[in-house]
Amino acid sequence: MLKLTGVTKSFGDKLVLHPTTIEFEQGKTSVLIGTSGCGKSTLLRLMIGLIAPNTGEVEFDNTPLSKDNLEQVRHRIGYMIQDGGLFPHLTVRRNVTLLASHLGWEREKVETRLHELLELVHLEADLLEKYPTQISGGQRQRVALMRALFLDPDVLLLDEPMGALDPIIRSNLQAELREIFRSLGKTVILVTHDIGEAAFLGDVIHVLQAGRILQTGTFTELVHQPQDPFVVEFINAQRSPVEDLQRRES
Amino acid sequence: MRERLPILQLGCLLLIASPLLAKEPPPLAVGAKAFTESVTLAEIATLLGKASGVEMKPTTELGGTRVLWSALKSGEIDVYPEYTGTIREELFRGESLSDFDAIRKRLAEEGISMTDPLGFNNTYAIGVKRSLAEKLNLKTISDLKSHANLTYGFGNEFMDRADGWPSLKTTYGLNPAEIRGMEHALAYRALAADEIQVTDAYSTDPNIRQFNLQILQDDRFHFPRYDAIYLYRTELEQSHPQFVARLKEMSGKLSDEQMLALNQEVELGDKTSAVVAAQFVREAFRINVSVESGGLISRIWRTTLDHLFLVIISLFAAILIGVPAGVIAAKTKLPGQIILGAAEIVQTIPGLALLVFMGVIFIRIDLPSIGAFPVIVALFLYSLLPIIRNAMVGLNEIPASLQESATALGLNWSARLRLVELPLAAPLILAGIKTTAVINVGYAALGGLIGAGGYGQPIMTGLRLNSERLMLEGAIPAAFMALAVKLLFEKTERFVVPKGLRLQEE
Ligand SMILES: Nc1ncnc2c1ncn2[C@@H]1O[C@H](COP(=O)(O)OP(=O)(O)OP(=O)(O)O)[C@@H](O)[C@H]1O
Ligand SMILES: [Mg+2]
């Protein structure tokens, strides 16, 4: 569905992405994981053409991205940036339906889709007339997800969709997302720092370090056949308070 | 944003229409320099025009000799009072026109005619406070030479003109410690406050009495004669023969004493030039003319409308051009810098210089060089910078994440601009427009210098007549208007700035 071939990216003389070839399969949820600044968001930006690669090629549905097809491709990709990126001057309703009404969707079609999505992400309809500043962080993330899903895109690019959420909401939303991804059969590429989240949601996990993909595989493969000490370190770095306690007590 | 469009269109329409409105089938116009005597003489001409059945525009006060002369030649005014000395030394300097006939011939080449002298000779004079004259025993201009420590303050025109300070200095070999150019009406005040000790005056100037000046004798006969005459467009002899006949009858009707008396009535009494002129015409011509001076309220109403006209038209034009220019400035590199640089340069030109400069160009390309049009253009030019800059900053300050979201949604550039960027920049854009509007209310007083009306007119007249009441008649409403404009824009915020952004600020 989405394929990067020999892609590199540098900002100034700083190489942020080493030559990378990676393919994201139709209908799978792939997770990009790695430390802060390793190039996860950069990869997503390349895929939706917000930045252009220095070398190599990005293909969507077997067609290379170019100036001419960029807008069409973007309509088929739902992208949710790291902090949600909701427009503060628009109500929740306008934020979510902005693109559809710009593309000339009929009112009824818009309303139907809007209510489908509200149900999908478990939000109340009375939220629609509020502004982004008037709703909670978790609600904002869901609204951003609604916006990304509105045109029923083939691909979802989600950049830390659950940053800054409390653990309970986070865990609930993770469960909901897994449901949504499974039921819709979308190609999902999700960025996270959290190995637990990666294990829970990802069919495939790509571990990144300093602009390189170190290993690609399922969570089981990463645990049992790590190909780099960093992979082991990264998986073990996540604290589990309950295990910690048990270890201390024994 | 959308609600504002019809108003913009209206502004656009008015802007296109305004030069046309200014060019309606013309009644005749008499111009005057911005000092009492000239205004009174001009009012007399206007009344004589009316008395001969001609439709006359209200008398227009204009900045200086050059402005009037250009306006007369281009037909924007038809008549104005002038002095032979000024014609010789200022308009045709270096052509050494010896007598009236030579002047007449030269004027004829320009399509202009001149009446015979009206009687009085209003020459330049150099004055000092009487007390100082007595103390230093000053009697002639030559006596000044031995007192190099005195500060001289001259009207701007006297500073520049060929027969003024530049040659006076040489004739008498004067070399004062300090010399300042200023608005002539301010020179007397500076003299009274002892900030300056020597100034220029006109020989029929009642301020000579009011400020108790001693006129120093021109012992080297430096100043040429300044016989008052009327200049008029020669074509009036065909088109308005009766009016021209009346103007010619003015010759010899005003002696030095009579003119000084008229000046004194205006400057020291409580009458307007128009009223004094009417009084004179009634007595000298035995025709019954009257002037409606209008009450305070109706005068303020009139100047308010004129002032609003200047401010509103120029502001709309500036919004129409400035906001798109701000978008270009924000989105492009080189063109953006050029636009911003140009607007910045315009901003540094002093108001009066800009008006004069534009006047010169406008006459060449057959646009009105006096009245509302050039003032509107000047205000428009001054408004551009704050509007462009705020629009640019507003757009540049939109967080990268929001720009990114809009792009990633797959909106094209115009939709991004319309749906996301301009609304997000709206608070700053509006703030720029507000600042501009408030400043323009002040700047529009420049209109008083070139006959555009507005609050500048009573302020200029008040300055000239040394009348605080008149100055306040312009200054107080101007302050109120600035305040009202500010409040209006604060109310407008509600409609222009998206609600979501207003919530954010709370
Ligand atoms: N526009 C840019 N200009 C210069 N450097 C940039 C730019 N965008 C990203 N970088 C650099 O590229 C590197 C990768 O950035 P990126 O945003 O992809 O990291 P990330 O993996 O998403 O990190 P995080 O988990 O903190 O979001 C970082 O070192 C960052 O400083
Ligand atoms: Mg990131």
Side-chain angles (χ1 to χ4, degrees), chain A residues 45 48 50 70-71 74-75 77 79 81 83-90 94-95 98-99 102-103 131 133-134 147 151, chain B residues 2 401-416 418-421 423-424 498-501 503-504:
Chain A
R45 287 199 183 98
I48 196 162
L50 286 171
L70 214 48
E71 265 158 38
R74 283 171 181 161
H75 295 167
I77 300 180
Y79 173 60
I81 67 165
D83 62 1
L86 294 181
F87 302 126
H89 65 293
L90 299 176
R94 281 286 287 161
N95 259 290
L98 186 69
L99 181 61
H102 174 66
L103 295 177
Y131 286 89
T133 45
Q134 295 172 309
R147 186 168 74 179
L151 291 200
Chain B
R2 208 171 293 156
S401 62
L402 295 182
Q403 307 244 29
E404 196 167 275
S405 286
T407 312
L409 273 179
L411 293 171
N412 58 27
W413 71 268
S414 68
R416 285 204 301 272
R418 186 165 48 86
L419 298 171
V420 179
E421 296 176 330
L424 286 174
K499 186 178 171 211
L501 295 184
L503 289 171
Q504 217 171 16

Side-chain angles (χ1 to χ4, degrees), chain A residues 46-179:
Chain A
L46 284 163
M47 288 185 234
I48 196 162
L50 286 171
I51 51 178
N54 294 95
T55 62
E57 198 170 62
V58 183
E59 272 173 70
F60 178 83
D61 210 5
N62 298 320
T63 334
L65 289 194
S66 74
K67 267 209 165 79
D68 305 323
N69 62 16
L70 214 48
E71 265 158 38
Q72 272 67 43
V73 167
R74 283 171 181 161
H75 295 167
R76 294 178 58 194
I77 300 180
Y79 173 60
M80 186 176 152
I81 67 165
Q82 216 158 334
D83 62 1
L86 294 181
F87 302 126
H89 65 293
L90 299 176
T91 58
V92 166
R93 174 195 294 279
R94 281 286 287 161
N95 259 290
V96 175
T97 61
L98 186 69
L99 181 61
S101 46
H102 174 66
L103 295 177
W105 280 32
E106 276 169 22
R107 236 192 135 78
E108 273 146 52
K109 196 173 159 199
V110 171
E111 282 303 299
T112 315
R113 181 70 181 148
L114 193 57
H115 286 92
E116 265 170 38
L117 288 173
L118 278 177
E119 211 165 296
L120 190 71
V121 302
H122 298 290
L123 282 178
E124 299 293 331
D126 62 357
L127 227 67
L128 289 176
E129 308 314 325
K130 298 213 160 126
Y131 286 89
T133 45
Q134 295 172 309
I135 60 180
S136 76
Q139 289 169 328
R140 275 202 287 274
Q141 304 271 20
R142 286 161 206 246
V143 172
L145 191 64
M146 282 174 72
R147 186 168 74 179
L149 283 169
F150 204 86
L151 291 200
D152 198 15
D154 301 309
V155 174
L156 275 177
L157 305 181
L158 307 177
D159 200 342
E160 296 184 42
M162 284 156 293
L165 294 188
D166 76 58
I168 294 179
I169 297 186
R170 193 179 172 103
S171 141
N172 285 343
L173 194 60
Q174 281 167 347
E176 282 165 27
L177 279 182
R178 188 158 76 165
E179 247 339 278

Side-chain angles (χ1 to χ4, degrees), chain B residues 123-413:
Chain B
T123 190
Y124 272 113
I126 298 299
V128 296
K129 265 204 230 169
R130 194 174 296 281
S131 53
L132 187 76
E134 277 160 17
K135 199 170 107 199
L136 302 180
N137 194 22
L138 300 173
K139 295 214 166 60
T140 64
I141 301 182
S142 296
D143 291 342
L144 285 173
K145 218 178 145 185
S146 46
H147 297 282
N149 59 333
L150 298 177
T151 302
Y152 293 24
F154 293 131
N156 289 320
E157 180 154 3
F158 187 78
M159 282 293 281
D160 292 339
R161 44 190 302 151
D163 57 350
W165 174 244
S167 57
L168 183 77
K169 186 168 58 177
T170 341
T171 311
Y172 284 96
L174 296 175
N175 192 13
E178 202 191 335
I179 165 121
R180 295 192 216 154
M182 53 185 75
E183 183 60 39
H184 194 260
L186 296 178
Y188 290 121
R189 305 180 156 208
L191 194 86
D194 212 34
E195 285 164 25
I196 60 172
Q197 286 84 41
V198 181
T199 191
D200 63 301
Y202 311 107
S203 52
T204 53
D205 187 342
N207 282 310
I208 294 173
R209 287 190 198 165
Q210 199 199 357
F211 286 92
N212 207 7
L213 296 195
Q214 168 80 49
I215 294 301
L216 300 180
Q217 198 195 326
D218 182 10
D219 50 330
R220 295 198 177 173
F221 306 102
H222 171 78
F223 293 120
R225 283 189 69 82
Y226 281 79
D227 293 301
I229 45 87
Y230 283 113
L231 290 180
Y232 59 91
R233 293 173 62 76
T234 309
E235 67 196 26
L236 295 190
E237 290 183 351
Q238 251 73 58
S239 58
H240 301 85
Q242 280 177 316
F243 179 27
V244 173
R246 285 294 191 198
L247 286 179
K248 285 183 175 166
E249 280 178 49
M250 276 295 290
S251 74
K253 279 221 158 54
L254 277 166
S255 67
D256 280 16
E257 288 70 34
Q258 279 170 308
M259 192 66 236
L260 197 140
L262 294 189
N263 288 343
Q264 193 160 14
E265 266 193 272
V266 178
E267 302 209 348
L268 309 181
D270 203 20
K271 293 177 186 159
T272 63
S273 274
V275 170
V276 170
Q279 216 170 284
F280 170 80
V281 170
R282 274 196 297 271
E283 283 164 18
F285 287 82
R286 313 238 160 261
I287 15 183
N288 202 6
V289 290
S290 63
V291 289
E292 71 280 11
S293 63
L296 180 66
I297 302 292
S298 79
R299 280 205 309 274
I300 291 181
W301 176 239
R302 178 81 243 143
T303 48
T304 302
L305 288 184
D306 287 348
H307 206 84
L308 271 179
F309 181 76
L310 300 176
V311 172
I312 290 175
I313 301 291
S314 58
L315 187 67
F316 272 119
I319 295 171
L320 226 53
I321 303 293
V323 174
V327 173
I328 295 173
K331 299 282 171 194
T332 64
K333 261 211 157 99
L334 188 65
Q337 277 172 351
I338 293 174
I339 288 175
L340 208 63
E344 267 163 12
I345 290 172
V346 169
Q347 201 79 0
T348 61
I349 306 174
L352 197 56
L354 185 64
L355 283 181
V356 170
F357 178 67
M358 282 192 323
V360 172
I361 293 177
F362 283 2
I363 282 186
R364 293 252 160 87
I365 55 179
D366 215 19
L367 285 171
S369 68
I370 55 170
F373 182 72
V375 177
I376 288 174
V377 175
L379 291 179
F380 161 76
L381 290 174
Y382 281 132
S383 307
L384 283 176
L385 184 64
I387 293 182
I388 292 176
R389 195 166 39 199
N390 272 42
M392 187 186 84
V393 173
L395 289 172
N396 284 341
E397 279 188 354
I398 295 173
S401 62
L402 295 182
Q403 307 244 29
E404 196 167 275
S405 286
T407 312
L409 273 179
L411 293 171
N412 58 27
W413 71 268

Side-chain angles (χ1 to χ4, degrees), chain A residues 3-4 17 28 30 37 47 79 86 101 135 146 148 151 161 165 184 189 191 196 234:
Chain A
K3 195 169 144 194
L4 281 72
L17 195 66
K28 290 261 171 68
S30 310
M47 288 185 234
Y79 173 60
L86 294 181
S101 46
I135 60 180
M146 282 174 72
L151 291 200
L165 294 188
L184 299 178
I189 302 163
V191 168
F234 196 88

Side-chain angles (χ1 to χ4, degrees), chain A residues 11 14 16 34-43 45 82 159-160 191 193:
Chain A
F11 291 108
K14 186 176 164 208
V16 171
T35 47
S36 192
C38 69
K40 306 180 296 290
S41 299
T42 303
L43 258 176
R45 287 199 183 98
Q82 216 158 334
D159 200 342
E160 296 184 42
V191 168
H193 285 126

Side-chain angles (χ1 to χ4, degrees), chain B residues 40 48 73 92 97-98 137 140 184 235 292 316 351 358 401 415 452 466 473 483 490 501:
Chain B
T40 307
L48 290 176
K73 280 203 298 182
F92 303 116
L97 304 172
S98 50
N137 194 22
T140 64
H184 194 260
E235 67 196 26
E292 71 280 11
F316 272 119
M358 282 192 323
S401 62
N466 199 8
E473 197 178 307
L483 197 68
E490 270 147 29
L501 295 184

